[in-house]
């Protein structure tokens, strides 16, 4: 158990990687990965995700970053910030790289099962009997309780590959007092008694919100919405040449905030400039209002 999934990220990177080694991380990707690696003097090597392929990993590029000092590869599926969901075939291609180079995998699955119509979520560890995997998860997203700070690491050891890792994780778990024991006591009821209809209804609601943003933002000049497949986010590519006085994604977000009182995150937060990320969880009326303001902003600044 960990203090939220963020705590799981910290422990997983800390137990697998040593100072002077490197870890492969997604671009765009959750900024905490880079922060944790940097705090331990672990080199973060960023592999590309392909927007034109619904944010699949550029496998050739990822593999080109591997050397003798590569300690682990980390994936995030479904993805923050991309809102993407990998197919079973794509996950197998990732695992093939890990198998070839004998590198363990960290699979951040905090958004497990949070996928939209036509999508199927596949836990990475179910697809291999040879690649050792640390699967990260938690209560925050699927059960909408981020303040509870309940996360976990599932250790999928293959042929005793993670025997020492288990000991290391136990040692790291003693550094802080957490997560809250009282909240931990709720986990059996959550897993056993929450009806299956809860997640189905949640995913339908999230998808309907995502489609509001996708439909409305498609009407705005200079924006290219990448269709979300899951999680809680929509990524939008900016055609900066379409605007008269906006030079990058950070300036787009800053001016949008001051002119329209709409706050979104620039892609540079996720090491992917030229894009912006929107959250799909606000009520639909707020999403419609925000979309209208963003469209008005784009029209006002277009060439």
């Amino acid at each position: 158990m960990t203090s939220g999934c963020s705590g799981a990220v910290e422990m997983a990177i800390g137990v697998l990687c040593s100072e002077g080694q490197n870890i492969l991380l997604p671009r765009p990707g959750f900024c905490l990965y880079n922060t944790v690696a940097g705090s331990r003097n672990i080199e973060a090597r960023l592999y590309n995700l392909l927007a034109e392929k619904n944010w699949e990993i550029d496998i050739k590029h990822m593999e080109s970053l591997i050397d003798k000092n590569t300690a682990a590869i980390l994936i995030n599926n479904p993805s923050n910030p991309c809102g993407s969901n990998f197919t079973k075939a794509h996950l197998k291609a990732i695992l093939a790289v890990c198998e070839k180079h004998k590198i363990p995998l960290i699979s951040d699955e905090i958004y497990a099962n949070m996928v939209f119509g036509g999508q199927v979520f596949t836990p990475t560890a179910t697809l291999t009997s040879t690649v050792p995997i640390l699967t990260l998860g938690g209560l925050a997203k699927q059960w909408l309780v981020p303040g509870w700070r309940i996360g976990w690491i599932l250790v999928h050891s293959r042929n005793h590959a993670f025997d020492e890792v288990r000991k290391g994780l136990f040692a790291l778990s003693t550094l802080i007092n957490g997560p809250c024991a009282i909240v931990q006591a709720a986990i059996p009821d959550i897993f056993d008694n929450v009806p299956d209809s809860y997640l189905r209804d949640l995913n339908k609601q999230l998808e309907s919100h995502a489609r509001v943003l996708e439909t409305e933002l498609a009407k705005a000049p200079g924006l290219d919405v990448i269709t979300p497949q899951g999680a809680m986010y929509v990524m939008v590519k900016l055609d900066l040449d379409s605007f008269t006085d906006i030079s990058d994604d950070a300036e787009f977000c800053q001016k949008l905030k001051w002119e329209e009182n709409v706050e979104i995150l620039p892609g540079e937060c996720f090491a992917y400039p030229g894009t912006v990320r929107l959250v799909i969880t606000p009520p639909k009326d707020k999403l419609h209002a925000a979309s209208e303001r963003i469209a008005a902003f784009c029209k006002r600044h277009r060439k």
Side-chain angles (χ1 to χ4, degrees):
M1 301 296 297
T2 63
S3 181
C5 194
S6 296
V9 170
E10 186 175 21
M11 286 176 58
I13 293 176
V15 79
L16 291 181
C17 306
S18 300
E19 183 173 349
Q21 293 184 306
N22 64 73
I23 183 171
L24 308 192
L25 303 174
R27 177 174 56 204
F30 185 39
C31 54
L32 180 68
Y33 306 145
N34 294 273
T35 301
V36 171
S39 71
R40 288 162 171 71
N41 292 318
I42 299 161
E43 179 188 359
R45 296 186 175 181
L46 306 183
Y47 59 81
N48 293 329
L49 305 184
L50 303 173
E52 64 273 19
K53 293 186 177 181
N54 282 108
W55 303 110
E56 284 191 347
I57 295 172
D58 184 337
I59 298 291
K60 289 184 178 179
H61 180 245
M62 182 178 73
E63 190 168 14
S64 73
L65 300 176
I66 296 172
D67 65 14
K68 64 180 181 180
N69 292 319
T70 302
I73 296 173
L74 184 149
I75 65 172
N76 176 209
N77 184 58
S79 167
N80 173 15
C82 299
S84 57
N85 176 55
F86 294 153
T87 65
K88 186 179 294 187
H90 190 59
L91 289 169
K92 287 182 177 180
I94 298 165
L95 290 167
V97 172
C98 295
E99 175 71 24
K100 176 181 176 181
H101 296 276
K102 307 304 179 186
I103 296 174
L105 184 70
I106 301 172
S107 186
D108 183 352
E109 299 178 7
I110 184 62
Y111 297 96
N113 299 306
M114 298 180 70
V115 294
F116 303 154
Q119 294 292 316
V120 176
F121 169 73
T122 303
T124 310
T126 63
L127 300 178
T128 179
S129 61
T130 54
V131 177
I133 298 174
L134 296 181
T135 299
L136 316 183
L139 294 182
K141 308 304 181 183
Q142 185 171 334
W143 286 278
L144 308 179
V145 286
W148 286 20
R149 309 307 305 153
I150 293 288
W152 53 73
I153 300 176
L154 305 181
V155 181
H156 303 279
S157 183
R158 313 299 188 193
N159 301 313
H160 303 286
F162 274 170
D163 285 355
E164 293 302 311
V165 169
R166 287 180 186 273
K167 297 176 183 178
L169 287 170
F170 180 80
L172 289 173
S173 72
T174 65
L175 292 177
I176 62 170
N177 292 321
C180 174
I182 296 174
V183 177
Q184 287 186 53
I187 293 177
D189 273 347
I190 291 173
F191 284 173
D192 294 339
N193 297 327
V194 173
D196 293 341
S197 59
Y198 163 76
L199 183 58
R200 288 196 303 268
D201 292 343
L202 174 63
N203 286 344
K204 287 179 181 178
Q205 183 174 2
L206 289 172
E207 181 174 11
S208 69
H209 286 213
R211 301 306 171 222
V212 168
L213 285 177
E214 183 180 10
T215 301
E216 295 301 317
L217 293 179
K219 302 173 185 177
L223 303 185
D224 180 15
V225 184
I226 310 300
T227 299
Q229 299 171 312
M232 297 178 167
Y233 312 99
V234 173
M235 282 287 276
V236 179
K237 295 174 68 176
L238 302 178
D239 180 7
L240 294 169
D241 292 335
S242 298
F243 303 111
T244 58
D245 55 352
I246 296 175
S247 60
D248 56 33
D249 50 290
E251 186 175 15
F252 182 96
C253 292
Q254 184 181 39
K255 288 185 174 180
L256 178 66
K257 178 179 178 179
W258 286 108
E259 294 180 24
E260 296 290 349
N261 200 27
V262 174
E263 187 163 11
I264 60 179
L265 285 181
E268 69 174 23
C269 292
F270 310 100
Y272 204 82
T275 62
V276 294
R277 190 204 73 172
L278 295 87
V279 178
I280 65 175
T281 52
K284 282 186 180 180
D285 62 328
K286 301 297 184 184
L287 295 177
H288 279 289
S291 298
E292 291 173 0
R293 295 186 187 191
I294 293 171
F297 173 84
C298 291
K299 291 175 182 177
R300 189 162 59 248
H301 289 274
R302 69 179 173 182
K303 290 180 179 178

